[in-house]
Amino acid sequence: MNSLTQSPCWKTLQSLAAEISGQHMRHWFEQDPQRAERFNIDACGINLDYSKNLINQQIMEGLTGLANQQQVETKRDAMFAGEIINHTEERAALHTALRNFSGQPVMVEGVDVMPEVLATQDKMGDFVKRIHSGSHKGYTGKPLKEIVCIGIGGSFLGPKIMSEALKPYWHQGVNVHFVANVDGCHIHDVLATLDHEQTLVVMSSKSFTTQETLQNTLTTKDWFLKAGGTQQDIAKHFICVSSNIEAATEFGIAEENIFPMWDWVGGRYSLWSAIGLPIALRLGYENYRALLEGAYEMDCHFKQAPLEQNLPVVMALLGVWYTNFFGAQSHVLLPYYHYLRGFPAYVQQLDMESNGKCIAGDKEQIDYATGPVIWGSEGTNGQHSFHQLIHQGKVLIPADFMLPLKVENQNDTHHAMLASNCFGQTQALMQGKTFDEAYADLDGKGLSDDKRESLAHHKTMPGNKPSNTLLFEQLDPKTLGALVALYEHKVFVQGAIWGVNSFDQWGVELGKVLGNQVLDKIRNADEPLDLDASTNALIKRFRQALKK
Ligand code: F6P
């Protein structure tokens, strides 16, 4: 028997969910003119309208009660204080120390980590200036204008997606390329376009053991040497970010070219560390600092705001409401801003790698749903494809719509159209269209009664579909920093409620181990095929194809 699902708060929420079944949000809006104001929070440059959700005051109180029962605030304080909350890996989870502008120390096992953090930030700032000014030159004396960033997972998604999101803030004069996949097509395509004399390689791997990143770096090193560079010249062209200094040095990276990070920074929370160096190279160091400042503001809000006014807490509670009391299995993110198009993929790793877990506490088997499937893409494109399922499908898919109010380099007509589509979608999802409305629309269309009735059924939209709308004054570096920290803390709060460890990722390990076993068998045709029959047959086919 699981204590969470048997708890008084859980039971209260179950009855509240039953109480509102059959009620419709459009009536709640008709009955309560204050609803939009009541369910609205403004903080850190982000406005959240959460009035189009299946909630009322009592439900929000019930959800806040659940957060209290699960000691969310105590757990939050433990995270900020550097306690060993990642208990399976025996580590703190202190990404917040990387954007700590308070001037206060942050202690990990009795040691203040801030001096090292600040020293690394200075090193980053200095390096970025030298690249941008052209004073750091390649081995033939040319400035390094092509930056190839190699890394995967958290060592890729944050740097790439945040760089992309801040295109209006780019430093001109450099090109930044990202390569993650071990699929050789990508690295070969990128290198084919570059002049090795002007190329800087930033290899990012917290562990320095990740197969994809090591192989892509080896391929790049090989390309550099074949193009005319020597072993000695590598120091000018290859740098790395890692917490595994020993392995990086063994690999051949000069010690002064290693930017450190620490095991108390989770991979998917690492863009605030030197893993964010590609962002600083793309935007300039000051803009990168602004990203960190925005995240720090959100940290302060998360620590100080009462639960019912707390952006990450409220968003987390709404997610728990749908996941655990309405059976929602996914959550869609819909940025109405082209530059933010990668954000769903970023949150995918953040959320699914953090809360895709089935053990609570030390060893309790969980009997309730945890992290949902996160997906989505930029608006308005989705409106012409998958939104149909959200509007009329039989599964409940809560949505987060996002829109910057002001944008650069777009004329008003485009932006007004974008905004109207965004708002119109949230309205359509909420209010739907009744059978009577659909039937009335078909008046005078020359249809038989039967045809009119049948068509009206197809055109009926259930509505009552929940969504949040997040508006930003503009998506500048600071607001983006706050947005990313908002989702980080949302994921943290949900993990705290579900009792999972949001900071490990054991589930990805087995695939890595088995992948390496298979690689041995592919490379060495004499290795016996002693795996399961299906995998043996796949390897056999691959071996045969290699021989042809
Ligand atoms: O395989 C998952 C993972 O461990 C992620 O958590 C991490 O962000 C990614 O791999 C890359 O790891 P590293 O930075 O150690 O190369």
Side-chain angles (χ1 to χ4, degrees):
M1 186 182 293
N2 197 286
S3 50
L4 179 58
T5 51
Q6 297 309 314
S7 68
C9 288
W10 197 270
K11 299 217 166 205
T12 306
L13 288 165
Q14 277 174 330
S15 11
L16 288 170
E19 238 170 63
I20 60 159
S21 96
Q23 297 184 29
H24 202 291
M25 256 192 273
R26 64 149 73 183
H27 298 134
W28 296 345
F29 274 97
E30 284 158 11
Q31 287 155 9
D32 177 7
Q34 308 302 320
R35 185 174 170 85
E37 276 166 49
R38 195 187 312 288
F39 298 118
N40 191 292
I41 304 176
D42 236 322
C44 311
I46 299 172
N47 177 267
L48 169 69
D49 173 353
Y50 64 105
S51 60
K52 290 187 182 105
N53 275 289
L54 296 166
I55 51 155
N56 55 33
Q57 201 57 43
Q58 216 188 346
I59 291 166
M60 287 316 293
E61 282 161 22
L63 287 166
T64 313
L66 181 69
N68 282 324
Q69 175 192 282
Q70 297 305 101
Q71 301 184 315
V72 165
E73 287 171 298
T74 310
K75 291 175 183 171
R76 172 199 66 194
D77 294 344
M79 174 176 73
F80 279 96
E83 286 180 29
I84 307 297
I85 58 168
N86 176 357
H87 58 93
T88 61
E89 295 181 304
E90 296 182 1
R91 291 170 187 171
L94 261 184
H95 41 288
T96 51
L98 302 164
R99 56 212 195 198
N100 165 31
F101 287 85
S102 71
Q104 298 299 311
V106 178
M107 309 300 281
V108 178
E109 298 182 72
V111 179
D112 179 12
V113 297
M114 287 315 295
E116 258 193 286
V117 169
L118 298 177
T120 306
Q121 288 175 350
D122 285 348
K123 184 171 165 158
M124 285 170 71
D126 177 58
F127 184 73
V128 171
K129 279 186 198 117
R130 284 193 290 124
I131 291 293
H132 285 176
S133 68
S135 68
H136 178 113
K137 297 191 184 345
Y139 77 100
T140 56
K142 291 186 184 169
L144 302 181
K145 291 178 181 297
E146 303 293 341
I147 301 169
V148 178
C149 305
I150 301 175
I152 198 163
S155 298
F156 157 71
L157 290 163
K160 176 172 189 286
I161 290 165
M162 302 318 145
S163 299
E164 208 169 73
L166 294 170
K167 185 155 188 232
Y169 299 85
W170 281 6
H171 174 90
Q172 300 306 318
V174 288
N175 293 314
V176 183
H177 316 264
F178 290 92
V179 179
N181 198 343
V182 77
D183 183 340
C185 301
H186 197 184
I187 190 73
H188 291 305
D189 278 359
V190 168
L191 296 178
T193 64
L194 303 180
D195 169 7
H196 78 289
E197 293 175 36
Q198 298 194 67
T199 299
L200 171 74
V201 180
V202 182
M203 188 259 205
S204 302
S205 177
K206 177 185 168 186
S207 60
F208 216 94
T209 59
T210 305
Q211 185 200 56
E212 292 92 331
T213 304
L214 292 174
Q215 185 54 46
N216 280 327
T217 308
L218 282 173
T219 299
T220 308
K221 192 170 156 188
D222 201 38
W223 163 83
F224 179 81
L225 295 174
K226 282 194 180 125
T230 66
Q231 199 69 37
Q232 221 185 333
D233 301 327
I234 281 180
K236 287 202 163 81
H237 292 260
F238 284 70
I239 63 164
C240 99
V241 184
S242 185
S243 66
N244 192 346
I245 313 289
E246 205 183 320
T249 324
E250 246 172 59
F251 187 83
I253 310 270
E255 204 158 339
E256 68 272 17
N257 288 347
I258 302 173
F259 290 75
M261 61 182 293
W262 305 274
D263 67 2
W264 43 262
V265 187
R268 54 194 171 274
Y269 301 87
S270 64
L271 73 96
W272 319 104
S273 72
I275 292 285
L277 186 59
I279 308 176
L281 286 162
R282 183 66 283 180
L283 304 178
Y285 190 67
E286 294 314 315
N287 281 327
Y288 177 69
R289 293 280 292 181
L291 189 80
L292 267 55
E293 275 165 32
Y296 173 67
E297 268 191 22
M298 184 55 73
D299 292 344
C300 296
H301 167 80
F302 180 44
K303 282 200 280 189
Q304 291 155 11
L307 295 186
E308 57 285 357
Q309 280 301 314
N310 197 307
L311 270 182
V313 173
V314 167
M315 285 180 64
L317 293 175
L318 291 168
V320 168
W321 181 233
Y322 298 120
T323 300
N324 298 114
F325 301 92
F326 289 80
Q329 295 193 351
S330 82
H331 190 105
V332 66
L333 301 193
L334 301 166
Y336 277 64
Y337 185 45
H338 178 65
Y339 295 145
L340 201 56
R341 63 193 178 277
F343 197 63
Y346 180 78
V347 179
Q348 222 164 39
Q349 186 202 15
L350 174 64
D351 198 320
M352 294 167 79
E353 207 176 48
S354 295
N355 287 341
K357 309 280 164 68
C358 57
I359 301 290
D362 284 338
K363 55 183 179 187
E364 190 183 343
Q365 293 288 341
I366 285 177
D367 66 355
Y368 44 86
T370 55
V373 175
I374 302 291
W375 61 290
S377 73
E378 68 185 301
T380 62
N381 297 6
Q383 289 176 211
H384 301 275
S385 74
F386 58 76
H387 280 225
Q388 168 61 34
L389 179 83
I390 311 177
H391 286 291
Q392 282 189 311
K394 294 297 287 177
V395 287
L396 181 75
I397 305 175
D400 289 352
F401 287 83
M402 297 168 207
L403 176 85
L405 297 173
K406 285 191 224 131
V407 291
E408 290 186 27
N409 303 326
Q410 280 179 45
N411 70 42
D412 292 343
T413 310
H414 280 277
H415 198 52
M417 282 181 176
L418 188 68
S420 57
N421 273 287
C422 173
F423 302 157
Q425 284 295 307
T426 71
Q427 193 190 10
L429 287 168
M430 182 276 287
Q431 70 181 31
K433 189 176 205 174
T434 63
F435 174 82
D436 289 348
E437 286 165 346
Y439 192 78
D441 279 354
L442 294 170
D443 191 23
K445 302 270 190 240
L447 300 170
S448 68
D449 283 353
D450 276 359
K451 184 71 193 164
R452 184 174 169 190
E453 194 202 330
S454 149
L455 209 48
H457 277 293
H458 287 274
K459 288 178 167 248
T460 300
M461 307 259 291
N464 226 19
K465 309 280 186 183
S467 70
N468 291 319
T469 308
L470 294 134
L471 299 180
F472 325 115
E473 202 52 45
Q474 60 186 34
L475 202 70
D476 54 16
K478 207 167 167 190
T479 311
L480 182 64
L483 179 69
V484 176
L486 164 60
Y487 276 87
E488 284 179 351
H489 295 322
K490 174 198 164 181
V491 166
F492 174 82
V493 171
Q494 294 189 329
I497 289 173
W498 290 321
V500 300
N501 178 0
S502 300
F503 298 101
D504 61 12
Q505 58 284 317
W506 298 108
V508 299
E509 294 306 321
L510 179 62
K512 289 186 193 173
V513 173
L514 298 188
N516 278 328
Q517 270 177 25
V518 171
L519 183 61
D520 284 344
K521 293 188 189 297
I522 283 177
R523 277 186 175 153
N524 183 356
D526 299 334
E527 280 260 329
L529 291 180
D530 50 6
L531 309 174
D532 64 89
S534 163
T535 313
N536 284 343
L538 294 169
I539 298 170
K540 208 165 157 188
R541 272 182 169 251
F542 193 82
R543 278 178 177 172
Q544 278 162 358
L546 287 186
K547 276 193 217 145
K548 281 181 195 159

